[in-house]
Amino acid sequence: MTLVRADGAQLAIDCGLKLDSYLLYYGKSGKGFEDIPTEELMRIGAIPKLQTKGTIDAFLVSHGHLDHIGAINRFMDKYPAQVFGTQYACGLIRNRLNKTQLHKVSSIGYGQAIHVTPRLSAELVEVTHSIPQSSMVDIHTSEGDVVYACDFKFDDHSKIAKTNYKRLKAIGSQGVKCLIVESLNVGEDGKCDSEKVARAKIRDVMGFAHENDKLIMATTFSTHLERIQVLVSEAEKLGRKVIITGNSYLPNCAMGEQMGLLDLPKGTIVAGKKLDGVFSAIKKDNRGKYFVLATGHQGEPESVLSRIVDDQFKFHLEEGDCVMFSSRTIPTDVNIANKSEMVDKMKNLGVRVFDDVHVSGHANREEHRKLIRMLNPENIIPAHGNIGMIGNYFELAESEGYKANTDVHLMRNGDTIIL
Amino acid sequence: MTLVRADGAQLAIDCGLKLDSYLLYYGKSGKGFEDIPTEELMRIGAIPKLQTKGTIDAFLVSHGHLDHIGAINRFMDKYPAQVFGTQYACGLIRNRLNKTQLHKVSSIGYGQAIHVTPRLSAELVEVTHSIPQSSMVDIHTSEGDVVYACDFKFDDHSKIAKTNYKRLKAIGSQGVKCLIVESLNVGEDGKCDSEKVARAKIRDVMGFAHENDKLIMATTFSTHLERIQVLVSEAEKLGRKVIITGNSYLPNCAMGEQMGLLDLPKGTIVAGKKLDGVFSAIKKDNRGKYFVLATGHQGEPESVLSRIVDDQFKFHLEEGDCVMFSSRTIPTDVNIANKSEMVDKMKNLGVRVFDDVHVSGHANREEHRKLIRMLNPENIIPAHGNIGMIGNYFELAESEGYKANTDVHLMRNGDTIIL
Amino acid sequence: MTLVRADGAQLAIDCGLKLDSYLLYYGKSGKGFEDIPTEELMRIGAIPKLQTKGTIDAFLVSHGHLDHIGAINRFMDKYPAQVFGTQYACGLIRNRLNKTQLHKVSSIGYGQAIHVTPRLSAELVEVTHSIPQSSMVDIHTSEGDVVYACDFKFDDHSKIAKTNYKRLKAIGSQGVKCLIVESLNVGEDGKCDSEKVARAKIRDVMGFAHENDKLIMATTFSTHLERIQVLVSEAEKLGRKVIITGNSYLPNCAMGEQMGLLDLPKGTIVAGKKLDGVFSAIKKDNRGKYFVLATGHQGEPESVLSRIVDDQFKFHLEEGDCVMFSSRTIPTDVNIANKSEMVDKMKNLGVRVFDDVHVSGHANREEHRKLIRMLNPENIIPAHGNIGMIGNYFELAESEGYKANTDVHLMRNGDTIIL
Amino acid sequence: MTLVRADGAQLAIDCGLKLDSYLLYYGKSGKGFEDIPTEELMRIGAIPKLQTKGTIDAFLVSHGHLDHIGAINRFMDKYPAQVFGTQYACGLIRNRLNKTQLHKVSSIGYGQAIHVTPRLSAELVEVTHSIPQSSMVDIHTSEGDVVYACDFKFDDHSKIAKTNYKRLKAIGSQGVKCLIVESLNVGEDGKCDSEKVARAKIRDVMGFAHENDKLIMATTFSTHLERIQVLVSEAEKLGRKVIITGNSYLPNCAMGEQMGLLDLPKGTIVAGKKLDGVFSAIKKDNRGKYFVLATGHQGEPESVLSRIVDDQFKFHLEEGDCVMFSSRTIPTDVNIANKSEMVDKMKNLGVRVFDDVHVSGHANREEHRKLIRMLNPENIIPAHGNIGMIGNYFELAESEGYKANTDVHLMRNGDTIIL
């Protein structure tokens, strides 16, 4: 979470959950995130230790990933603030709220003015990322704009999003006081692969796997609707019936269809529970007619894929079935272990595994450079990365003429800077 | 090199150069490969220690990579044998011969019978790889076929090649005595990315780089005509003039155009020498109008890219110019060091580097499995890999029902097996 | 397990548990290894699929590690065979047996003849490894000796063991038909670090940690008595009281003291259960007076260290306490994840972690070469390693003049070779 | 180089050469460092771009490594300043000076007051590192002390140095305004291995290698006299004659003997040139009687070891000879490539290679923590590391209660901070 104070108002941008802290202490507890008290989550570093004087006038949300929205419901009752975000982000937030909180969430369009106080306004600017309707948040203050750019990539071949370069350049030309920007992949040369590359990979792999005339299963991030669309469309083209399984896909598919972001093939089954019934249609002699999307891309023990390989369903994977991970293993030791256990068990069954049929959603160095050049910010605060990644951003900023501690700043959790 | 003896005849399949052995001892000597005596090359392990009783009745060539053809000229005078290969492979072989040797090279079409002796024939079967006109070599013996499958991938989206699955299945159904097969990437899950993925990557990167309005340079393998075609076509679409520089591109571009494998944009310059003159057209204010393909993908000290960054031309790279490596660093310590030196110098100049805009040309595990299932060979000899890679092939073969030492065999350089 | 048939008799050498197979399928089940039926263990590949015609005349045991003795009790009832091993190995075997099986275990001294049948005898030869009383097993057959060398290192500075080079050379000079040898670290240059190096590391770290005047905890392999001795002796020298906690240390410490292999400082507490009582002596103001050895070197969830950081005791680690891992993380993904979780939690408490204060127990390439030169075996069968490690052994053997498939053999689980 | 301005004076601490920048641009040029103009060295970033107003009143030198003293001669003529350091560091500096500069170098003892100006003094405090007579530099200013701690480790088992903990604590208790500290290995847990560990490793390896009755060669850093002493003493104990070869050993051995830091066995030969003559004593049948220390630990092309394997001497390595690297490959791609080429050629000759028989000279995290606790500095400036390493130091400092940008500061080359 980032707090911006300007012109007498105070705004919070994003407010998320640090998943690895939660998993370290509660991953094996069986306790859901929602079951753990706010104070305990603060203690283990899973949610921000909110220490602010005064009120919060608004929550601005850049996009709907859990590490950006997961803790809003913990803090919103304390303040009168409304929560603003795009339609899809707001949908994901609302799914985490109780009824009394719902009225405080307002979805807005790109470019639409958010009037926080009479003197202070903000807007969302469209960018590409790995979830629909992502934004950079632009706060217009009397001293210049504050632009929040976490997270993004510049993908000119996305089919459901389009970075508004024109608006970014216009903002840049009017004077940006400060850019707050993610730094995950700034240490990587070049640019992030386009979703076009993921499409090419998926078509290649699915065409190859289809010839086996066996079941094809896939897994990907449940909010990545553009990816899900490619997967199910490709399956449809191959004449396979589509089944989507696992709780986390349910709300996303429903919202996606409702908002016109996702077009599931006719007859697609989407199911969270009672999967034995759903799977019962898939038999020895017809498995080449099915495509199943399932949870489990990180090998999560409670996911559908894990439960399949652990024999918790009547349904089993068989020799020759194909499983495609349209995802990357988020590199924590626990994920690596969970995923490798799952994959080992699959291979022991004779399953063909296709891993990393995927592209990232985070900008590489040259995309970051492009953003700097468009916005020409007076100050930069690299964020959303460990200290090594922030260091990589410093090196980029220095190559663009910025100077450490003068106009590119090292900020740590809990720090305040006055510009 | 593989020697096959059957029905009273003896055939040699491929006969190449082990580049890393040559580089270890002569890489800094300034001596070209051709300047080193055959005995010395044998001593350092750069070419096969040919120890055969009797004559060689024919050389069969699978494809034109140096590690498959580089030593043929060292041995062909010793035997009456003709050399057979596809048109492109034969072109590359002829480039290494003296006039008296040329008449012994015969290019043949896929499926055309090669009559080695009255009792023994062979044919080439089309496969996809990373060079035009690659083949699997199929030798028809009285005890069943011997199929040589080094090197290949199964890419159904190549624009210049097409694996002849139908013929492979037919060969398999008639009885394959032995499959000799490469093992480089058999340890990798899934399948090798299609060239379609490389096309998507290149379009994405070149579109992005183009906006800089600065020079775009690229480098790739000089025999990889399909890749070169994508690069220059993309440059042409962006309205850039194409210049191709470096000796190794010359014969390949010439042959490629002549054989209809490559269609260079009108006005393309291809130059090996006198590059100062060629580069002189590229100036400070028009560099956004040019695309230059150059040698140097492995950071080779004598390549055009190396000589540019080492200030051996009047022409220099400038801040904002983009260099794209449409290649992978072949992982020897010397390549890694050469390439990183080159890239460091580029970055010190402010050049934007886009690395690994590339896909491999070698089959992964599931493609190998598919080949086994199509050919159903009685015996398998994994080849073209270090002992770890051959071990990986053993694990695949065992999962397909083969048994080590019984029908999947460990062969070392110089070994003989009687089947 | 290795079966040797010669002179009409059949001998089994070692018979162990493949721990990672067990952990993959039952690691989170709460089921101990002993609770799982033999057939199920065979199915998941955790114990050998014993397929032998005829009887087994004797079990010969090289040393007491679980992967060498863990499955003997599953098979011994089926055969009349006695089990032979050194005193320490037999002690560990007996701990896994029921009363009716105990009489079949006979501990013997090095060099003592084991008369299996009137025509066939064997002996154990002392070697250094990471457990007391390790052996190479030498079977004297009418066609020459079979030497089994799994596992060993050549450590001339061990304080509790001494390789009997003289006997090995004598055996070599009489004619070795076959050497069966481990291959874990044969790919590593040079030699394995001596235990002398571990002693130097431990003294250095413990002296440094002691100055903190806080608790020092350590963990190591429970059968590595030489290491345990160094740890507790060093603690005693520093004036710290020694407490040893965790079930697996109990039988080893008891046997070690009884057999004169371990000399615990006076007043040492060794405890498996009721640890809250044991830990209650350690308080805020006296923790600098204690040294605690505990289970948990692989981050095992049921270990004492795991349970401490998971708050399952009244006792807690505090800021400034030191934890030393006198061990290496055995590189499976699950171990890596378990250990990193444990260490993360320790660091969050302010604990100082000293990792890898350890040396390996497995021979490197030059020690393997030395063994070959001492024994001069007619045939070699590399074992106890994945196919990559066995490949590394092939390269060593080839450099010593052996030839693949002729006198150095690739054997897979279940294979038979007749020499 | 660090400039400290206080009480009207200006001091330079260390002034070295960035070796990798030099090697990137001139490594293959054949040009020695001394042959390149100062401006060119500044341009490529190999020496500091000295931009100071006013004069420099003194150069204080912490220790004699090239990256700490290599550029002093480039700047000393410009200022009236004297150069102060320990006897050994001054010896190394003098070796790089011309006659007219020699009088400006003053060697001083630990604790001896360096009176820079009437109001400002400094002293050197003994610490352990990997070169004799290393120091922390302590500058006494009217606002508190500035302590410069680059580079060090806390090794209580060194035989030629001893950290003066008492003095460090005394300095800490009087008030340290600022600590400037190296950060190379602060990201590593625990402590740096003691030289005692290196001694144990060397004894183990040399004892093992000696039994081969072949030549033993070794290589290490030429200024690491403590290490050289262990190597030659061990050789002497084994009854081997010692030969030391390579230019860089010459001045160090000479100074070491003269200053009582090194005691070479009687009859030791130390030679830089005419090595064919020196090597001629080593023959096929007496090589087990010799131990040769030679340059080449980083695979440097001009080193003695490189020239041996490249057949530039009449002397050659033979099958069974042992080469021990008592060093670590400094991880630049060029070193890695050079060293691997050298080692590959050795192995092709049948040489036994023992690598990394070595311990580091740089403090790990817990030693850094100890330093912070002894000095209790008001401000900390992590230095001598890339931005990732400095980031690691920030995390340590934060765990000790420091706050980024408040009392632990990110400084980049050329930056100034006023405390």
Side-chain angles (χ1 to χ4, degrees), chain D residues 111-129:
Chain D
Q112 188 179 338
I114 306 167
H115 291 290
V116 181
T117 70
R119 288 161 60 198
L120 195 77
S121 70
E123 69 172 289
L124 304 180
V125 182
E126 183 169 15
V127 286
T128 41
H129 183 39

Side-chain angles (χ1 to χ4, degrees), chain A residues 280-315:
Chain A
S280 64
I282 307 172
K283 305 194 187 308
K284 192 130 214 111
D285 61 351
N286 71 356
R287 40 211 311 130
K289 307 266 180 261
Y290 286 90
F291 171 81
V292 178
L293 184 67
T295 50
H297 50 86
Q298 303 301 316
E300 305 90 330
E302 295 307 307
S303 66
V304 172
L305 279 177
S306 278
R307 285 186 288 149
I308 290 174
V309 297
D310 285 342
D311 291 337
Q312 297 183 19
F313 295 114
K314 286 178 199 154
F315 169 78

Side-chain angles (χ1 to χ4, degrees), chain A residues 38-113:
Chain A
T38 297
E39 294 65 34
E40 171 64 4
L41 289 173
M42 284 183 177
R43 195 188 65 79
I44 64 172
I47 64 171
K49 286 175 190 156
L50 191 56
Q51 301 155 311
T52 181
K53 299 172 233 168
T55 191
I56 290 178
D57 296 290
F59 285 94
L60 306 180
V61 173
S62 65
H63 66 285
H65 277 147
L66 205 57
D67 56 330
H68 289 254
I69 65 162
I72 290 180
N73 62 339
R74 302 285 178 154
F75 297 111
M76 64 190 296
D77 291 343
K78 225 177 131 185
Y79 304 105
Q82 281 289 108
V83 179
F84 298 96
T86 57
Q87 193 188 15
Y88 191 68
C90 287
L92 287 163
I93 294 167
R94 280 195 197 98
N95 288 339
R96 310 178 70 80
L97 302 185
N98 57 46
K99 278 190 187 169
T100 65
Q101 295 172 317
L102 288 176
H103 70 283
K104 294 176 78 174
V105 178
S106 309
S107 73
I108 53 167
Y110 291 122
Q112 189 180 337

